[in-house]
Amino acid sequence: MKRALCPGTFDPVTNGHLDVIERASSLFDEVVVGVALSAEKGDGPLFSLEERVGFIEGATSHLGNVRVRPFDGLLVEFAQETDATVIIKGLRAVTDFEREFQMAQLNYRLDKTIETMFIMSIPEYAYLSSSAVREIARHGGSVKGLVPDAVCEALASRLHQSR
Ligand code: PNS
């Protein structure tokens, strides 16, 4: 039984994240998507932890071996709690490498039994990020096709409220 953990802030989840989760689900017996509270990031996430979990649950409901769980604290401790032995991260362009390399090294130092593995982004999503999605939506641009439809609607109403 191989269980993988796909962690992230997912503020909000993009179709690039979902592509990585779906590909991980075909490689492992079970995938836990770990949604980090990440309260310390910038001004704090745009969407609450519950909303971020809900978007991913809605978009992965067709994948029988995927569970979505919130977490706060160290990633390796969450991996231990969920009995995941592999951490899966998506890798887009070279610009991701340095940060991911650092996190993988630090996580290895904290728990040598947990392996970090990377799934390369498909070209279509290589330049897609949650922050770019938020920025486009904030300026009234369309993010259709970049995020699930439910996220499109939530972005429109959240950013409309704050204008
Ligand atoms: O969506 P992100 O910003 O790439 O996700 C980063 C995340 C949540 C995976 C990372 O910040 C994380 O692992 N946070 C938990 C705290 C932790 O374990 N830090 C030590 C490893 S650097």
Side-chain angles (χ1 to χ4, degrees), residues 6-11 17 34-38 40-41 71-78 87-90 92 96 99-100 102-108 110 130:
C6 285
T9 304
F10 304 112
D11 185 38
H17 292 133
V35 184
L37 180 65
S38 295
E40 73 290 350
K41 259 193 156 187
F71 79 98
D72 188 15
L74 283 179
L75 179 61
V76 289
E77 285 179 5
F78 183 62
I87 293 170
I88 294 286
K89 299 296 298 278
R92 293 164 300 182
D96 278 343
R99 181 166 176 262
E100 293 298 341
Q102 184 190 28
M103 285 197 277
Q105 301 293 325
L106 290 170
N107 287 330
Y108 177 77
L110 293 169
S130 299

Side-chain angles (χ1 to χ4, degrees), residues 23-146:
R23 285 156 69 198
S25 85
S26 71
L27 294 169
F28 293 91
D29 299 307
E30 245 185 64
V31 171
V32 176
V33 180
V35 184
L37 180 65
S38 295
E40 73 290 350
K41 259 193 156 187
D43 295 335
L46 176 65
F47 291 105
S48 70
L49 189 57
E50 293 71 27
E51 287 172 312
R52 288 179 275 140
V53 167
F55 293 142
I56 306 171
E57 278 175 343
T60 58
S61 58
H62 62 293
L63 302 170
N65 63 343
V66 173
R67 287 185 293 137
V68 190
R69 294 286 179 271
F71 79 98
D72 188 15
L74 283 179
L75 179 61
V76 289
E77 285 179 5
F78 183 62
Q80 291 156 3
E81 275 165 36
T82 50
D83 278 328
T85 49
V86 178
I87 293 170
I88 294 286
K89 299 296 298 278
L91 206 55
R92 293 164 300 182
V94 241
T95 43
D96 278 343
F97 183 79
E98 206 162 329
R99 181 166 176 262
E100 293 298 341
F101 184 69
Q102 184 190 28
M103 285 197 277
Q105 301 293 325
L106 290 170
N107 287 330
Y108 177 77
R109 191 185 158 81
L110 293 169
D111 186 338
K112 293 182 177 40
T113 67
I114 299 173
E115 198 67 65
T116 300
M117 297 177 75
F118 295 93
I119 291 185
M120 297 299 293
S121 158
I122 58 170
E124 201 178 335
Y125 300 133
Y127 293 96
L128 178 57
S129 66
S130 299
S131 57
V133 163
R134 291 195 305 272
E135 191 169 328
I136 294 169
R138 195 169 284 129
H139 293 289
S142 170
V143 290
K144 204 165 169 45
L146 302 179

